[in-house]
Amino acid sequence: MSLFDCTGKVAVITGSSRGIGRAIAEELADHGARVVISSRKQDACEEVANAINEKHGAGTAIAIAASISEKDALERLVAQTREKLGPIDILVCNAASNPYYGSMDGISDEQFRKILDNNVLSNHWLVQLALPDMRASGGGAIIIVSSIGGLRGSAMIGAYNISKAADFQLVRNYAVEVGKDNIRINAIAPGVVKTDFARALWEDPKTHDRTAAATPMRRLGEPRDIAGAAVYLASDAGAWMTGQMMVIDGGVTIGSGM
């Protein structure tokens, strides 16, 4: 069997109706997992689940809408997953938000709290909810999609970057606590990927070209560039990796491409 085989595993992926989350769900399904597609809108989730089922057969994917800002919605997401597919083996916390662009000294308390709640606290809730299944089955894999923003300062998205840096520590701390249960938790830190979430950084041709030129690989990321790392971390290929952060950014953080 391949080290990357996920046959029989149940995977929940938040923010998976599009972008990086969708690419991760599709790749996990390609490697044998049964996947739960989750985002805020049920119809968008069902569209992705239907496409995966058309490719792999009925029952490979199900759609369960849930808002990451509501703890009871996440509780229902986990409960419905157990009811329909069984215990959770793989959790991918991909959904996030950023309602504010600008200097930190201009952000409102409400905006700052929303960023921290959606990007950090919701991940903590989901980990808490998934751990009982993983402990009962003898192990599991948790992946938090963070950002290279957590490694850098910014004059425009400082609060978002703070939340993503907090995710790195969330991963490290949980790894210390749950390693004894054969549960692994790691983070992925993408650079600029061509998704709707990051549209402001690539939609304008001049901005796109300037960003690509500053990247050693001379291009921006695509969602599938991130999905392979998630399969690695979710499968036996990553069986001895925990508490770590994988940077996937075309080389941006190691130096300018110029």
Side-chain angles (χ1 to χ4, degrees), residues 199-227:
R199 185 173 292 278
L201 300 175
W202 60 266
E203 188 172 36
D204 177 73
K206 290 183 178 179
T207 303
H208 173 282
D209 293 348
R210 184 168 60 249
T211 305
T215 303
M217 292 193 71
R218 298 298 195 277
R219 71 174 179 88
L220 306 187
E222 300 288 345
R224 201 162 184 262
D225 291 325
I226 311 303

Side-chain angles (χ1 to χ4, degrees), residues 181-243:
D181 301 312
N182 192 35
I183 299 169
R184 299 174 290 105
I185 177 167
N186 294 283
I188 297 173
V192 179
V193 177
K194 293 170 72 173
T195 64
D196 287 344
F197 187 83
R199 185 173 292 278
L201 300 175
W202 60 266
E203 188 172 36
D204 177 73
K206 290 183 178 179
T207 303
H208 173 282
D209 293 348
R210 184 168 60 249
T211 305
T215 303
M217 292 193 71
R218 298 298 195 277
R219 71 174 179 88
L220 306 187
E222 300 288 345
R224 201 162 184 262
D225 291 325
I226 311 303
V231 174
Y232 165 76
L233 293 172
S235 66
D236 285 345
W240 207 47
M241 183 169 177
T242 195

Side-chain angles (χ1 to χ4, degrees), residues 163-181:
S163 74
K164 292 303 183 176
D167 281 334
F168 297 152
Q169 186 58 30
L170 188 71
V171 161
R172 286 189 285 263
N173 217 79
Y174 263 120
V176 169
E177 294 184 15
V178 303
K180 64 183 184 300
D181 301 312

Side-chain angles (χ1 to χ4, degrees), residues 20-21 24 92-96 119 123 143-147 160 164 167-168 186-190 226 230:
I20 290 172
I24 290 173
V92 182
C93 299
N94 169 70
N119 298 358
N123 292 339
I143 302 160
I144 293 179
V145 179
S146 183
S147 167
Y160 175 81
K164 292 303 183 176
D167 281 334
F168 297 152
N186 294 283
I188 297 173
I226 311 303

Side-chain angles (χ1 to χ4, degrees), residues 8 10-11 34-36 59-62 80-87:
V10 173
R34 290 178 295 161
V35 298
V36 177
T60 302
I62 62 171
Q80 289 179 31
T81 297
R82 290 193 189 109
E83 179 184 342
K84 296 179 179 181
L85 294 183

